[in-house]
Every structure is written in structure tokens, then in C-alpha cells.
Amino acid sequence: MNVLEVNDLRKSLGKREIIKGVSFNIKSGEIFGFLGPNGAGKTTTIRMLVGLIKPTSGEIKICGHDLSKDTTNALSEVGAVVENPELYKYLSGRENLMQIARIRKVSKEDVEETIKLVGLEGRIDDKVRKYSLGMKQRLGLAASLLSKPKLLILDEPTNGLDPSGILDFREVVQKAAKERGMAVFVSSHILSEVQNLCDKVAFINDGVIKAVEEINSDTNSMDTEKDIICLVSNDDKKIIENEVKKLTYVSSCKINDKGLQIILESNSTSKLVKHLACNNFNIEEIYKERKGLEQRYMELVEGGIR
């Protein structure tokens, strides 16, 4: 089931279109990453998703509710954490949550369940001013989870956290998504964290989604329609490069310190090997490189692998 459906979303400021036909879906229990450089349109998209600004055109549906036509019901299914959660520092963590629980009519039992989910049982009665940044992020996450939203939106949630805090936050989000069947939308600029946290990622640049791809949980690499291979040969690299670039299933070929890095259509490596062997090139070694998120980001957003 799709918890969030975004169809042909557009936003213009004056004559300038900044979001240009963005479309994607997030399923129940799925953690979806949203990656792009500064100014790519990430924040504008998030503002439209939470109803802070209206799109020029397009459609946002949350649990089947059209955000523009049924705003109250759509947003009732949403929880959100932005960079630094707003908390009452002079109150304890529990008192902060109870303030929110009263407004949202959340039971004490659900508050206790959420406290355990984010792992704050031992410090929940301490004043928030005594909390570390990581603990404040956990409390902010707890506040967003109190009403058991079907969609959780996280905007740069690990900013300022140390490695231990990032690891803890990741575990809590993954646990919440799994146990509650919650869809999670994560906008971040920390590529390694998105790769470790998310099931799927969208790459956005200049208001356009360049690709939406799955992250292979077994290899922690990107599942794409292209393979990256490294080829080592004693023959002249330049001659091999010129030959390989003629092939229609090869996207690019570059000489590096290992040999040649070749990007080609998925499952085309055997064709390449056969072609080179038939043309009397000596292949010493050939192997597939895992395509990490950083490589894929550079390929899609920055225009090539460095």
C-alpha cells in the first residue's frame, strides 16, 4: 500500500519554476531517501508535503487523502522532525511529551510505548536542558511518533550528531518503520547515512528527480540498470578505451590507476569480454565494482563519476 503518492508536483515562484514535475511513491514500512545538492528543491518539496506551501500544480495523497482537498485528514497521518526539535528545556522529557499528548488526545499507555521505542526510559524524567543533542533528537522523534503517524518526514535529522548518535537515531527509525509499518521520508545530505538507513532513494537536482532507485540491503549497493566494471590488461589502455567506447551498450570508459573503469548496461559484461577476446585483446582481470550511493550521486547529480 502506498502511504504517500506524489504525482507531477510543480511549484513556481514568479516566472521561475523550481519544482518541475516531481513524482514518487512511498509504501508502508519503507524508508525513502531524498538526496540532492543545496538549491535542488528538497526543502520546497518538504514544505509542500506538510502543507506549509501549496503546489502550483500536481497532486499529493497521504493514505488516500488529497492534501489540497482533504488537508485535515491527510495531515493527521503525518509526523515530522526537522533539524532541531522545539522543546521546553525547563520541563522534563516526559512533561514535554505529555503536553503534546493532551493536545492530540494520546493515552498515557501510548506515551510510555513511544518512550520505550526511542530508548529514553532511563532519562525521560530529567530536564531537557540536561539532554545531549542526540537525546533531544530522540525526544523530538518521540513527539512526532506519539499519534502513531502513517508517514514520518525527517529533514536533516542527524545534523550535529556524533557517530554514536547517528547510529542510535538510525536504529530507532528503522525499528519504528518495521514495528509500526510506517512510511519514512528522509531528506539528508549525508550520503553514507542515507545508504545505511534507506530502502530506496530519489536523486533530485534543479527541481527534477533524476532517478528513483532501490538500495540492495544485502550488498548495501545501488540496484541500477548499469554495471560498473574494472578491467585490467597489459595491452595499450588507450586502444582498449577507443574500442570499448564504440560499443552501444557501453555508457562510458575511463582510464584510471587500476586499469579501465567501464560503465555498461546491466548484464552486458559477458558480451564485452567476448568482444574483446574476439578482437585479440588480452584481459588480465575483470571484476564488477559495487555502485555505492556516493558514486551514483556523482553520476546522476554531478554529471559523472570522479
Side-chain angles (χ1 to χ4, degrees):
M1 173 190 167
N2 288 328
V3 174
L4 176 64
E5 297 179 20
V6 177
N7 298 309
D8 197 24
L9 197 65
R10 297 176 183 272
K11 180 64 179 178
S12 297
L13 293 177
K15 294 182 179 179
R16 180 168 162 256
E17 190 175 39
I18 55 176
I19 302 296
K20 307 168 184 176
V22 164
S23 298
F24 59 88
N25 300 317
I26 310 178
K27 297 176 183 177
S28 175
E30 186 174 66
I31 304 177
F32 185 93
F34 203 54
L35 278 178
N38 292 335
K42 300 191 302 296
T43 300
T44 301
T45 302
I46 289 173
R47 286 176 177 168
M48 288 190 283
L49 293 181
V50 297
L52 291 177
I53 58 175
K54 292 184 178 181
T56 303
S57 65
E59 183 181 61
I60 300 170
K61 284 188 175 181
I62 301 169
C63 296
H65 302 292
D66 190 312
L67 184 59
S68 64
K69 299 174 183 176
D70 193 7
T71 306
T72 301
N73 285 326
L75 292 181
S76 69
E77 305 287 0
V78 178
V81 179
V82 292
E83 291 183 26
N84 295 305
E86 292 295 325
L87 303 166
Y88 297 108
K89 295 179 182 179
Y90 59 89
L91 298 178
S92 69
R94 187 187 303 279
E95 288 167 338
N96 268 274
L97 293 182
M98 289 307 299
Q99 293 276 6
I100 298 167
R102 290 187 194 101
I103 295 169
R104 298 183 183 174
K105 298 180 181 179
V106 175
S107 69
K108 287 185 178 181
E109 290 76 15
D110 285 341
V111 173
E112 291 302 320
E113 178 189 330
T114 305
I115 290 169
K116 289 179 182 178
L117 181 66
V118 300
L120 275 178
E121 305 99 300
R123 298 291 302 277
I124 195 63
D125 291 310
D126 291 354
K127 301 294 184 185
V128 170
R129 63 171 173 264
K130 296 180 181 179
Y131 281 14
S132 66
L133 180 57
M135 291 170 65
K136 289 176 183 175
Q137 290 288 68
R138 286 195 193 202
L139 187 60
L141 182 58
S144 70
L145 293 174
L146 277 179
S147 56
K148 297 187 177 180
K150 294 291 190 296
L151 173 65
L152 178 64
I153 295 175
L154 305 174
D155 185 16
E156 303 290 358
T158 56
N159 264 6
L161 296 185
D162 59 22
S164 177
I166 291 174
L167 182 62
D168 290 343
F169 193 86
R170 182 200 311 160
E171 289 176 350
V172 170
V173 172
Q174 289 175 329
K175 183 180 179 183
K178 183 178 180 181
E179 290 187 0
R180 296 188 173 184
M182 182 175 60
V184 182
F185 176 96
V186 184
S187 174
S188 178
H189 66 280
I190 304 175
L191 299 180
S192 60
E193 182 52 27
V194 171
Q195 183 156 341
N196 288 321
L197 175 64
C198 298
D199 305 304
K200 190 180 287 185
V201 61
F203 301 86
I204 185 171
N205 193 21
D206 193 28
V208 177
I209 288 186
K210 302 296 184 180
V212 178
E213 296 173 357
E214 292 186 3
I215 297 176
N216 190 312
S217 58
D218 295 325
T219 62
N220 210 25
S221 59
M222 303 303 296
D223 287 336
T224 74
E225 296 177 356
K226 302 287 185 182
D227 288 336
I228 300 178
I229 65 165
C230 185
L231 187 146
V232 180
S233 173
N234 289 328
D235 293 332
D236 189 300
K237 292 181 183 178
K238 194 66 182 175
I239 294 174
I240 299 176
E241 181 188 25
N242 291 335
E243 180 66 27
V244 168
K245 283 184 174 180
K246 297 175 185 176
L247 303 174
T248 57
Y249 51 85
V250 172
S251 300
S252 72
C253 179
K254 295 180 181 179
I255 297 171
N256 59 25
D257 54 354
K258 297 177 185 177
L260 294 101
Q261 185 191 66
I262 303 168
I263 301 176
L264 70 170
E265 291 176 5
S266 184
N267 301 317
S268 296
T269 304
S270 58
K271 285 198 294 185
L272 174 66
V273 173
K274 185 177 180 180
H275 176 85
L276 293 176
C278 288
N279 284 275
N280 299 316
F281 288 101
N282 295 311
I283 302 172
E284 296 293 321
E285 188 177 358
I286 187 167
Y287 57 90
K288 186 182 293 186
E289 294 183 346
R290 287 181 183 172
K291 183 174 290 189
L293 189 61
E294 183 174 327
Q295 283 182 308
R296 192 62 176 146
Y297 178 89
M298 296 307 299
E299 182 182 348
L300 287 168
V301 176
E302 298 294 339
I305 296 175
R306 291 180 182 173

